[in-house]
Amino acid sequence: MSESSPELVNCKILLIGNSSVGKSSLLLRFSDEQWLPEDESSATIGVDFRVCKMDVKGKKVKLSIWDTAGQERFRTITSSYYRGAQGIILVYDVSNRDSFEALPRWFSELETYVSASVVKILVGNKLDKEFSRQVSEEEGRNFAERMGMQFLEASAKTSVGVKEAFQEVVEKILETPELWASKSGSGKKTSASTSAGGATGSIPGSISLDAPLTGEDESGGCSC
Ligand code: GDP
């Protein structure tokens, strides 16, 4: 008998974004406190997933964090990757403008595959490359605001912002009980997203980086 053992909450978080923005590196930095030195080719490292435990706001959280493991190089991510996600970390590289300009496409994909209540955060990675920055912090923040996402800049290399990014997503998930309440504690897989659509690779790309959005991610809706 334990004295009111805290509930175990299972969270599934996905990393998405262009190839080479640092998704695997963020995951390794967060889960293993590890940094694999970048080589000149800036090749994708490719990790599948990691499971970590966290204590957040008095709750025990079992986090499974998924990396695309390079699927995005082929411009498509299968809809099954998104299934059951409660949190999404959308990553771009602050020193690579193309990775920022690809965000509307990624956001459209999210609209297709995950429900509005799924927690989303935008992370501008490689903050240590200030000398070759191509996207200002303000641009990143403005885009995130328009999309109804949280935002921060980080560096998998120096660790800055990494823990905070994951922590913010988990906290927001915990504030949204409909994402986890009915499935916590059992260790069973979750299925919070709507995982709409079956076709892989049909990405409606109608969101611009500048235009205001309508009706995005106002949360509050139950996706279970
Ligand atoms: P992914 O394809 O998005 O998973 O990207 P990877 O994690 O494989 O990283 C691609 C390349 O960027 C590798 O050479 C990494 O070492 C490098 N990289 C990742 N994160 C950072 C960072 O924060 N700063 C710097 N300078 N390089 C990074």
Side-chain angles (χ1 to χ4, degrees):
M1 274 295 184
S2 63
E3 65 302 329
S4 67
S5 57
E7 189 178 18
L8 180 70
V9 179
N10 290 295
C11 288
K12 178 178 175 183
I13 293 182
L14 309 180
L15 287 151
I16 62 168
N18 274 13
S19 191
S20 294
V21 295
K23 299 180 295 300
S24 305
S25 302
L26 288 166
L27 175 51
L28 287 176
R29 170 59 83 192
F30 176 71
S31 64
D32 305 1
E33 262 307 317
Q34 197 186 355
W35 165 251
L36 303 177
E38 63 264 56
D39 64 4
E40 302 73 29
S41 68
S42 72
T44 285
I45 292 164
V47 181
D48 42 11
F49 77 102
R50 286 282 190 279
V51 176
C52 320
K53 296 224 167 105
M54 283 174 96
D55 286 316
V56 182
K57 298 197 166 169
K59 286 200 164 55
K60 294 227 170 292
V61 178
K62 185 175 155 200
L63 255 186
S64 53
I65 310 165
W66 291 76
D67 180 19
T68 56
Q71 281 187 69
E72 73 282 12
R73 270 175 292 170
F74 309 105
R75 297 189 67 93
T76 62
I77 288 187
T78 56
S79 60
S80 58
Y81 180 67
Y82 292 100
R83 204 164 296 139
Q86 293 124 315
I88 308 278
I89 300 181
L90 175 53
V91 186
Y92 69 96
D93 172 354
V94 300
S95 67
N96 180 319
R97 184 96 208 154
D98 286 350
S99 71
F100 179 69
E101 286 177 355
L103 292 177
R105 184 175 67 81
W106 286 110
F107 200 85
S108 295
E109 182 153 317
L110 287 181
E111 284 196 305
T112 306
Y113 293 124
V114 305
S115 78
S117 60
V118 168
V119 174
K120 302 168 196 87
I121 187 170
L122 180 65
V123 172
N125 189 39
K126 308 198 188 181
L127 181 55
D128 58 285
K129 292 176 81 175
E130 190 59 57
F131 55 91
S132 51
R133 184 190 272 276
Q134 293 184 356
V135 183
S136 72
E137 183 179 359
E138 197 189 358
E139 282 178 288
R141 188 175 303 284
N142 287 344
F143 180 76
E145 258 173 33
R146 277 202 309 280
M147 300 296 162
M149 288 186 276
Q150 292 163 282
F151 171 73
L152 55 81
E153 291 189 329
S155 166
K157 184 173 184 176
T158 65
S159 276
V160 170
V162 176
K163 204 166 164 207
E164 290 79 355
F166 287 90
Q167 184 116 7
E168 277 200 29
V169 174
V170 173
E171 283 180 10
K172 204 77 195 296
I173 291 172
L174 293 179
E175 285 167 17
T176 317
E178 62 265 36
L179 286 173
W180 52 269
S182 60
K183 340 178 202 11
S184 59
S186 64
K188 299 255 165 52
K189 69 179 175 150
T190 56
S191 57
S193 78
T194 54
S195 65
T200 60
S202 54
I203 303 167
S206 57
I207 298 170
S208 92
L209 285 165
D210 318 302
L213 265 190
T214 51
E216 291 318 337
D217 191 26
E218 288 179 335
S219 80
C222 177
S223 63
C224 302

